[in-house]
Amino acid sequence: MTSTNHALTALVTGSTRCNGIGLGIAKCLAKNHNMNIILHGTRDGATKEVEKCRGDFAKEYNVSVHYIQADLSTSSGAQQLCEQIDVIYPDGIDVLVNNAGGGHHNLVEDVPLQVWESVLTTNLTSPFVLIKHFITAMKKRGWGRIINISSMFGVRAHAKSAVYTSSKHGLNGLTKAVGKETAGTGVTCNAVCPGYVETELYFKTLEAVVEKDGVSKEEAKTFLMNPTKKLVTPEQIGETVSFLCSRAADNTTAAEFLIDGAHSA
Ligand code: NAD
């Protein structure tokens, strides 16, 4: 339950990948709050998989579902996403979930500048562009939720993660600054910081560690595991985001929510 009367609309970036965190979040928001959903991804909306994902979603949850394609590795891509949403929802959106993101596994001296710029733009600059665009209408309405999907790498560093760690630390900093700025306006801004989650990104990281560190898949799995010995699920992240959209979380802002099975303790 939220504190407004109209049907709420949520944008979840990076949300069309099966078993991805983004789709898990979008499903929880539709299921628990009956929110209209804007799905986003890098694929053409006319492709069969994307159209099926959008259609199945709308049928299962009986909410309005749009899909918008945009490349968030450039700030102009993020700007275009905002402009396309303005056409559909001229009064703005109620919930912004900055989920799209990626990483790079390498020693700092082996990170190409182009990779640094692309990951930083996707993980940090694009969330900034989206927040900047949608926050004014949220404040005017006196209610809004901004949730940034960060990582345990947003609070701790590990070797060979300079790009990812820097981007997620930046995202946590942005979260806290926006949370402070909006305190008392009805808008909250929080970061959710998962440990290892069972998604395509996790399996890609596993492969990168096997290839670059010369270890077996089993060794890599032992290393890339939460202390609970269980991978986090996209649904667990979705339910946390869902809580942050509830009235119970009205006073929860500028916070970092670790869901990392005790990794960062
Ligand atoms: P995923 O690779 O399954 O999904 C990432 C999503 O981001 C995809 O939908 C992809 O299309 C989108 N994306 C990536 N680059 C993009 C770009 N340039 N432009 C537009 N969209 C882009 O990964 P996931 O595990 O679901 O990750 C979702 C978020 O969770 C990311 O921000 C990631 O950093 C974070 N996270 C993941 C894990 C994990 O172990 N999987 C752990 C902690 C945090």
Side-chain angles (χ1 to χ4, degrees), residues 123-138:
N123 292 5
L124 181 57
T125 306
S126 287
F128 160 75
V129 170
L130 292 165
I131 291 169
K132 182 174 157 61
H133 187 84
F134 291 113
I135 200 165
T136 307
M138 288 182 186

PDB file of all heavy atoms in Angstrom, residues 123-138:
ATOM      1  N   ASN A 123      26.256   2.728 -15.040  1.00  0.00           N
ATOM      2  CA  ASN A 123      25.960   2.463 -13.622  1.00  0.00           C
ATOM      3  C   ASN A 123      25.743   3.719 -12.780  1.00  0.00           C
ATOM      4  O   ASN A 123      25.146   3.648 -11.715  1.00  0.00           O
ATOM      5  CB  ASN A 123      27.113   1.662 -12.991  1.00  0.00           C
ATOM      6  CG  ASN A 123      27.223   0.251 -13.549  1.00  0.00           C
ATOM      7  OD1 ASN A 123      26.503  -0.124 -14.467  1.00  0.00           O
ATOM      8  ND2 ASN A 123      28.144  -0.532 -13.010  1.00  0.00           N
ATOM      9  N   LEU A 124      26.259   4.876 -13.239  1.00  0.00           N
ATOM     10  CA  LEU A 124      26.185   6.069 -12.393  1.00  0.00           C
ATOM     11  C   LEU A 124      25.607   7.299 -13.103  1.00  0.00           C
ATOM     12  O   LEU A 124      24.682   7.929 -12.591  1.00  0.00           O
ATOM     13  CB  LEU A 124      27.585   6.388 -11.839  1.00  0.00           C
ATOM     14  CG  LEU A 124      27.703   7.591 -10.909  1.00  0.00           C
ATOM     15  CD1 LEU A 124      26.792   7.465  -9.704  1.00  0.00           C
ATOM     16  CD2 LEU A 124      29.158   7.772 -10.463  1.00  0.00           C
ATOM     17  N   THR A 125      26.138   7.624 -14.295  1.00  0.00           N
ATOM     18  CA  THR A 125      25.667   8.856 -14.956  1.00  0.00           C
ATOM     19  C   THR A 125      24.214   8.721 -15.393  1.00  0.00           C
ATOM     20  O   THR A 125      23.411   9.646 -15.214  1.00  0.00           O
ATOM     21  CB  THR A 125      26.573   9.199 -16.163  1.00  0.00           C
ATOM     22  OG1 THR A 125      27.917   9.246 -15.715  1.00  0.00           O
ATOM     23  CG2 THR A 125      26.202  10.541 -16.758  1.00  0.00           C
ATOM     24  N   SER A 126      23.845   7.567 -15.960  1.00  0.00           N
ATOM     25  CA  SER A 126      22.457   7.406 -16.415  1.00  0.00           C
ATOM     26  C   SER A 126      21.466   7.456 -15.251  1.00  0.00           C
ATOM     27  O   SER A 126      20.426   8.129 -15.354  1.00  0.00           O
ATOM     28  CB  SER A 126      22.302   6.133 -17.252  1.00  0.00           C
ATOM     29  OG  SER A 126      22.906   6.353 -18.506  1.00  0.00           O
ATOM     30  N   PRO A 127      21.729   6.770 -14.115  1.00  0.00           N
ATOM     31  CA  PRO A 127      20.845   6.964 -12.962  1.00  0.00           C
ATOM     32  C   PRO A 127      20.712   8.432 -12.561  1.00  0.00           C
ATOM     33  O   PRO A 127      19.617   8.917 -12.261  1.00  0.00           O
ATOM     34  CB  PRO A 127      21.510   6.139 -11.855  1.00  0.00           C
ATOM     35  CG  PRO A 127      22.193   5.039 -12.604  1.00  0.00           C
ATOM     36  CD  PRO A 127      22.692   5.675 -13.884  1.00  0.00           C
ATOM     37  N   PHE A 128      21.834   9.180 -12.614  1.00  0.00           N
ATOM     38  CA  PHE A 128      21.789  10.614 -12.298  1.00  0.00           C
ATOM     39  C   PHE A 128      20.859  11.352 -13.268  1.00  0.00           C
ATOM     40  O   PHE A 128      20.018  12.153 -12.862  1.00  0.00           O
ATOM     41  CB  PHE A 128      23.215  11.207 -12.355  1.00  0.00           C
ATOM     42  CG  PHE A 128      23.248  12.690 -12.518  1.00  0.00           C
ATOM     43  CD1 PHE A 128      22.939  13.532 -11.451  1.00  0.00           C
ATOM     44  CD2 PHE A 128      23.557  13.273 -13.754  1.00  0.00           C
ATOM     45  CE1 PHE A 128      22.946  14.920 -11.617  1.00  0.00           C
ATOM     46  CE2 PHE A 128      23.555  14.649 -13.917  1.00  0.00           C
ATOM     47  CZ  PHE A 128      23.250  15.480 -12.850  1.00  0.00           C
ATOM     48  N   VAL A 129      21.004  11.059 -14.580  1.00  0.00           N
ATOM     49  CA  VAL A 129      20.178  11.733 -15.596  1.00  0.00           C
ATOM     50  C   VAL A 129      18.691  11.443 -15.340  1.00  0.00           C
ATOM     51  O   VAL A 129      17.847  12.339 -15.391  1.00  0.00           O
ATOM     52  CB  VAL A 129      20.591  11.279 -17.024  1.00  0.00           C
ATOM     53  CG1 VAL A 129      19.603  11.769 -18.074  1.00  0.00           C
ATOM     54  CG2 VAL A 129      22.003  11.762 -17.359  1.00  0.00           C
ATOM     55  N   LEU A 130      18.376  10.175 -15.027  1.00  0.00           N
ATOM     56  CA  LEU A 130      16.972   9.784 -14.799  1.00  0.00           C
ATOM     57  C   LEU A 130      16.418  10.427 -13.523  1.00  0.00           C
ATOM     58  O   LEU A 130      15.290  10.922 -13.498  1.00  0.00           O
ATOM     59  CB  LEU A 130      16.859   8.253 -14.744  1.00  0.00           C
ATOM     60  CG  LEU A 130      17.119   7.547 -16.086  1.00  0.00           C
ATOM     61  CD1 LEU A 130      17.347   6.054 -15.875  1.00  0.00           C
ATOM     62  CD2 LEU A 130      15.962   7.742 -17.039  1.00  0.00           C
ATOM     63  N   ILE A 131      17.208  10.423 -12.462  1.00  0.00           N
ATOM     64  CA  ILE A 131      16.766  11.040 -11.198  1.00  0.00           C
ATOM     65  C   ILE A 131      16.506  12.530 -11.436  1.00  0.00           C
ATOM     66  O   ILE A 131      15.454  13.070 -11.065  1.00  0.00           O
ATOM     67  CB  ILE A 131      17.831  10.843 -10.085  1.00  0.00           C
ATOM     68  CG1 ILE A 131      17.926   9.376  -9.670  1.00  0.00           C
ATOM     69  CG2 ILE A 131      17.495  11.724  -8.870  1.00  0.00           C
ATOM     70  CD1 ILE A 131      19.116   9.040  -8.770  1.00  0.00           C
ATOM     71  N   LYS A 132      17.480  13.186 -12.072  1.00  0.00           N
ATOM     72  CA  LYS A 132      17.377  14.636 -12.334  1.00  0.00           C
ATOM     73  C   LYS A 132      16.105  14.946 -13.113  1.00  0.00           C
ATOM     74  O   LYS A 132      15.426  15.934 -12.854  1.00  0.00           O
ATOM     75  CB  LYS A 132      18.630  15.046 -13.133  1.00  0.00           C
ATOM     76  CG  LYS A 132      18.761  16.498 -13.470  1.00  0.00           C
ATOM     77  CD  LYS A 132      20.129  16.720 -14.129  1.00  0.00           C
ATOM     78  CE  LYS A 132      20.162  17.958 -14.995  1.00  0.00           C
ATOM     79  NZ  LYS A 132      19.898  19.185 -14.274  1.00  0.00           N
ATOM     80  N   HIS A 133      15.776  14.090 -14.052  1.00  0.00           N
ATOM     81  CA  HIS A 133      14.613  14.344 -14.905  1.00  0.00           C
ATOM     82  C   HIS A 133      13.285  14.146 -14.163  1.00  0.00           C
ATOM     83  O   HIS A 133      12.351  14.920 -14.349  1.00  0.00           O
ATOM     84  CB  HIS A 133      14.667  13.424 -16.130  1.00  0.00           C
ATOM     85  CG  HIS A 133      13.603  13.726 -17.136  1.00  0.00           C
ATOM     86  ND1 HIS A 133      13.753  14.715 -18.084  1.00  0.00           N
ATOM     87  CD2 HIS A 133      12.372  13.199 -17.322  1.00  0.00           C
ATOM     88  CE1 HIS A 133      12.654  14.775 -18.817  1.00  0.00           C
ATOM     89  NE2 HIS A 133      11.796  13.857 -18.382  1.00  0.00           N
ATOM     90  N   PHE A 134      13.192  13.089 -13.357  1.00  0.00           N
ATOM     91  CA  PHE A 134      11.875  12.730 -12.804  1.00  0.00           C
ATOM     92  C   PHE A 134      11.604  13.274 -11.403  1.00  0.00           C
ATOM     93  O   PHE A 134      10.472  13.228 -10.916  1.00  0.00           O
ATOM     94  CB  PHE A 134      11.694  11.203 -12.808  1.00  0.00           C
ATOM     95  CG  PHE A 134      11.563  10.641 -14.209  1.00  0.00           C
ATOM     96  CD1 PHE A 134      12.535   9.820 -14.756  1.00  0.00           C
ATOM     97  CD2 PHE A 134      10.448  10.966 -14.982  1.00  0.00           C
ATOM     98  CE1 PHE A 134      12.414   9.319 -16.053  1.00  0.00           C
ATOM     99  CE2 PHE A 134      10.311  10.470 -16.278  1.00  0.00           C
ATOM    100  CZ  PHE A 134      11.294   9.654 -16.817  1.00  0.00           C
ATOM    101  N   ILE A 135      12.633  13.785 -10.739  1.00  0.00           N
ATOM    102  CA  ILE A 135      12.475  14.127  -9.320  1.00  0.00           C
ATOM    103  C   ILE A 135      11.566  15.347  -9.081  1.00  0.00           C
ATOM    104  O   ILE A 135      10.831  15.393  -8.085  1.00  0.00           O
ATOM    105  CB  ILE A 135      13.866  14.321  -8.661  1.00  0.00           C
ATOM    106  CG1 ILE A 135      13.738  14.192  -7.149  1.00  0.00           C
ATOM    107  CG2 ILE A 135      14.514  15.641  -9.052  1.00  0.00           C
ATOM    108  CD1 ILE A 135      15.070  14.000  -6.445  1.00  0.00           C
ATOM    109  N   THR A 136      11.574  16.294 -10.000  1.00  0.00           N
ATOM    110  CA  THR A 136      10.804  17.524  -9.774  1.00  0.00           C
ATOM    111  C   THR A 136       9.311  17.205  -9.675  1.00  0.00           C
ATOM    112  O   THR A 136       8.615  17.689  -8.767  1.00  0.00           O
ATOM    113  CB  THR A 136      11.073  18.540 -10.910  1.00  0.00           C
ATOM    114  OG1 THR A 136      12.478  18.692 -11.017  1.00  0.00           O
ATOM    115  CG2 THR A 136      10.438  19.887 -10.629  1.00  0.00           C
ATOM    116  N   ALA A 137       8.808  16.374 -10.600  1.00  0.00           N
ATOM    117  CA  ALA A 137       7.376  16.015 -10.575  1.00  0.00           C
ATOM    118  C   ALA A 137       7.047  15.214  -9.316  1.00  0.00           C
ATOM    119  O   ALA A 137       5.977  15.382  -8.722  1.00  0.00           O
ATOM    120  CB  ALA A 137       7.019  15.217 -11.826  1.00  0.00           C
ATOM    121  N   MET A 138       7.968  14.339  -8.884  1.00  0.00           N
ATOM    122  CA  MET A 138       7.743  13.566  -7.650  1.00  0.00           C
ATOM    123  C   MET A 138       7.594  14.517  -6.465  1.00  0.00           C
ATOM    124  O   MET A 138       6.684  14.387  -5.641  1.00  0.00           O
ATOM    125  CB  MET A 138       8.907  12.596  -7.388  1.00  0.00           C
ATOM    126  CG  MET A 138       8.979  11.401  -8.314  1.00  0.00           C
ATOM    127  SD  MET A 138      10.381  10.346  -7.827  1.00  0.00           S
ATOM    128  CE  MET A 138      10.373   9.131  -9.131  1.00  0.00           C
TER     129      MET A 138
END
